[in-house]
Amino acid sequence: MVLARSEVGHDPARVRRRRAGNAARLGLMAVPVAFFALFFAYPVTAIVRRGLHAGGSWQWGQFTQVLGRSDIRHVLWFTTWQALASTALTLLIALPGAYVLARYDFPGRHLLRAVVTVPFVLPTVVVGTAFLALLGRGGLLDELWGVRLDTTVWAILLAHVFFNYAVVVRTVGGLWAQLDPRQEEAARMLGASPLTAWRKVTLPALAPAVAAAALMVFLFTFTSFGVVQILGGPGFSTLEVEIYRQTSQMFDLTTAAVLTLVQFLALGAILAVHAWTVRRRETALKLVDASRTARRPRGAGQWTLLAAVVAVIAVLLLLPLAVLVRRSLTAPGFGYYRALTDPDGGTFLVAPIHAVGASLSCAAAATAVAVVVGSLAAAALARRDAGRIVRGFDALLMLPLGVSAVTVGFGFLIALDKPPLDLRQSWFLVPLAQALVGVPFVVRTMLPVLRAVDARLREAAAVLGASPWRVWREVDLPLVRRALLVAAGFAFAVSLGEFGATVFIARPDNPTLPVAVARLLARPGDLNYGQAMALSTILMVVCAVALLVLERLRGTDRTGEF
């Protein structure tokens, strides 16, 4: 009766179309829900159950025992402390760059934006290796002044700033470019100083974007694995590194399960706050065309600020990569690169160069999976009238970015070991793990564009008798084709560099590039170290080429999102 009354006076055809749209949305959600249930929730639950469920009951008392250990408390403290310090340092260094790239128009601006984004898509293993070449044994600082900063907290903090600089520039700078500068100019005409006008007018408008960027940086640094694993040495361990150590070295699944749940609860709190800041950002501001707010620098002060930002980018972002390339070329006649073609019989069952082809093929397969799953999820989420369940699934899609990738990888080995999901010997296990990380990037790239499509176009096609599939193919797809290509590029880049889960499931005869680099670094000797530098350089070049293609496809970025 309630439904009948609500539909009185409504066009029956519109009611049927609405019902068909709701049914189509649920159909679109079926594949993403099944994918995340089988390859994310099931493996994570399996490893938690293995660690905390014994004798037919849950051993929740293990929480107090594990968290009461002094070594675990030290890990929790360091994880939180370094994430807060990394976030503050990243904001301090990157906000001037966000302002310059948002408000200044100068030659090479788009190239500089691409350069800034390169570190974000680089694998964490490459970032750690680059800073080893700069700060570690035989690195540039060691050669010039005899100073080594590896295995220190400063190496970790600087590497995190390097990795997350683009998060602040893209998120804050994207919004800054769309703020109407006339509001701040009006405040100055009324007698406010430049600092007061910025503090009273611009800063409150930027606050949601700054908060969102800070939360994302905190999320990435709180769950840091590759950087801390390479640069931290035995003295520093984050939750992610400790989970890896407890599972792979200590075989203590109880401690690993407790730490996984702690990380999961922290992630849930971070994502809840992030969702709130994003909603504020979407609803509280009036924005203008970003292409009309950038101006050429005026006066010595603005040119000095531009020069300072370029210098910071050169030293902080480009220098470690340049030192990495230089270190890979120190052997005469490209000796380290030639050594990659020879199987050493110890670290790998195949020549290290085989990892290049393995990584490319796995990343391509992972991209295909991520694009299909992410596009279906984005299409289901694009409707503004989506229900609470659908909106809740939007938040769940972000979980693979923060939940321990180590837990997911080890969970794959534990859970996917029986028919019909016995995939332990399948090469496709690696692409599945990589796709989990790629799907959130696909959704975040596709969703704003799909929501911008005029709903009346879809309604008109439906009125003319088009099925939901044909509406998507004839209306949505032509409008979002470029965003789809950008999403595929991001999925490819992040899949190429996935390390936390892949380190558990990559087969010895088919290692990916990040796994190969980590294994070479773990072995002593200049040849192994040089080969790690060479493989890292190859991986960096592949990721940079993918990013440059993305920038060309993206054109002018008006959203400020990744």
Side-chain angles (χ1 to χ4, degrees):
M1 291 297 295
V2 174
L3 178 62
R5 287 189 188 131
S6 65
E7 294 178 356
V8 171
H10 288 273
D11 183 0
R14 177 172 293 183
V15 172
R16 286 195 299 271
R17 289 196 300 271
R18 183 181 295 116
R19 288 176 174 173
N22 291 334
R25 186 188 301 123
L26 292 176
L28 291 172
M29 291 291 295
V31 172
V33 168
F35 178 79
F36 273 82
L38 286 176
F39 301 114
F40 179 70
Y42 180 42
V44 172
T45 302
I47 194 170
V48 172
R49 180 182 177 86
R50 181 71 64 91
L52 293 177
H53 192 272
S57 62
W58 290 94
Q59 307 296 317
W60 297 115
Q62 295 290 342
F63 263 89
T64 57
Q65 295 183 24
V66 171
L67 297 180
R69 289 163 45 183
S70 59
D71 59 328
I72 298 300
R73 290 201 304 269
H74 176 74
V75 169
L76 292 172
W77 164 247
F78 176 74
T79 301
T80 306
W81 176 87
Q82 64 82 26
L84 290 171
S86 297
T87 302
L89 193 60
T90 302
L91 290 175
L92 180 66
I93 294 176
L95 281 176
Y99 171 75
V100 165
L101 289 172
R103 287 297 173 88
Y104 289 176
D105 186 15
F106 53 90
R109 179 187 177 205
H110 293 294
L111 177 61
L112 195 63
R113 281 170 57 86
V115 168
V116 164
T117 313
V118 166
F120 180 76
V121 299
L122 286 180
T124 55
V125 169
V126 173
V127 176
T129 308
F131 275 83
L132 266 186
L134 177 64
L135 307 175
R137 174 180 57 85
L140 184 62
L141 291 186
D142 193 13
E143 290 180 5
L144 294 178
W145 299 294
V147 175
R148 289 182 55 184
L149 294 178
D150 60 326
T151 69
T152 69
V153 71
W154 281 108
I156 295 173
L157 296 181
L158 289 175
H160 283 161
V161 175
F162 170 94
F163 191 74
N164 292 291
Y165 188 95
V167 175
V168 178
V169 168
R170 288 283 189 172
T171 305
V172 180
L175 179 61
W176 213 331
Q178 294 177 279
L179 293 181
D180 192 344
R182 292 174 296 183
Q183 298 178 11
E184 188 173 326
E185 292 170 0
R188 295 184 62 181
M189 289 180 64
L190 293 174
S193 66
L195 179 60
T196 301
W198 181 83
R199 184 168 55 86
K200 296 289 187 180
V201 178
T202 305
L203 183 59
L206 286 176
V210 173
L215 285 166
M216 290 303 294
V217 173
F218 184 85
L219 171 65
F220 290 138
T221 53
F222 187 83
T223 58
S224 181
F225 176 59
V227 167
V228 180
Q229 177 80 350
I230 293 174
L231 296 176
F236 300 104
S237 180
T238 57
L239 271 174
E240 189 84 353
V241 174
E242 188 64 21
I243 292 171
Y244 173 75
R245 191 174 73 87
Q246 294 293 335
T247 52
S248 65
Q249 299 176 14
M250 308 298 292
F251 302 105
D252 186 351
L253 292 186
T254 298
T255 300
V258 170
L259 296 182
T260 296
L261 290 178
V262 170
Q263 192 177 55
F264 184 83
L265 293 174
L267 171 67
I270 294 170
L271 290 180
V273 177
H274 179 264
W276 178 71
T277 59
V278 169
R279 284 197 300 271
R280 286 187 58 199
R281 178 180 170 186
E282 290 179 345
T283 59
L285 301 173
K286 285 188 176 181
L287 305 178
V288 298
D289 188 349
S291 64
R292 295 185 296 179
T293 61
R295 300 174 181 176
R296 289 188 65 82
R298 301 172 185 173
Q302 294 187 359
W303 281 106
T304 300
L305 177 60
L306 173 59
V309 168
V310 172
V312 168
I313 292 173
V315 172
L316 180 65
L317 305 187
L318 295 182
L319 182 60
L321 301 180
V323 172
L324 171 65
V325 176
R326 172 183 171 272
R327 186 68 176 81
S328 72
L329 297 172
T330 52
F334 298 95
Y336 293 139
Y337 289 90
R338 287 190 288 107
L340 295 176
T341 62
D342 300 324
D344 63 3
T347 306
F348 307 104
L349 300 179
V350 294
I353 196 65
H354 179 81
V356 176
S359 284
L360 292 176
S361 60
C362 288
T367 299
V369 174
V371 167
V372 171
V373 175
S375 297
L376 291 173
L381 296 168
R383 292 283 295 270
R384 292 289 183 180
D385 57 347
R388 289 185 178 181
I389 295 178
V390 176
R391 290 197 300 269
F393 187 68
D394 186 14
L396 293 177
L397 291 173
M398 295 290 289
L399 288 179
L401 293 181
V403 169
S404 171
V406 170
T407 299
V408 174
F410 197 63
F412 270 32
L413 296 180
I414 291 177
L416 305 180
D417 62 342
K418 297 178 182 178
L421 287 176
D422 187 0
L423 302 176
R424 288 176 300 173
Q425 301 301 319
S426 173
W427 72 274
F428 201 64
L429 196 61
V430 171
L432 287 173
Q434 294 172 339
L436 282 172
V437 183
V439 168
F441 286 91
V442 174
V443 174
R444 296 270 72 81
T445 303
M446 296 284 295
L447 194 55
V449 181
L450 285 171
R451 283 177 173 168
V453 176
D454 192 340
R456 291 173 295 182
L457 296 176
R458 299 189 185 102
E459 293 175 359
V463 169
L464 294 174
S467 64
W469 163 246
R470 189 173 181 184
V471 170
W472 160 255
R473 181 166 53 88
E474 300 291 345
V475 177
D476 292 77
L477 184 58
L479 297 174
V480 302
R481 184 178 290 113
R482 175 173 292 185
L484 185 63
L485 293 173
V486 172
F490 267 124
F492 180 81
V494 299
S495 298
L496 198 64
E498 204 288 321
F499 176 60
T502 308
V503 70
F504 275 101
I505 58 180
R507 297 183 343 203
D509 61 341
N510 202 39
T512 62
L513 278 168
V515 172
V517 171
R519 290 178 182 173
L520 286 167
L521 287 175
R523 298 189 67 192
D526 288 337
L527 180 60
N528 289 314
Y529 188 80
Q531 288 184 88
M533 297 292 169
L535 277 182
S536 296
T537 300
I538 293 172
L539 184 52
M540 177 189 70
V541 170
V542 173
C543 289
V545 169
L547 180 67
L548 291 175
V549 173
L550 284 182
E551 285 294 319
R552 188 174 183 85
L553 290 172
R554 181 189 293 272
T556 302
D557 186 352
R558 297 174 185 267
T559 65
E561 300 288 348
F562 280 99

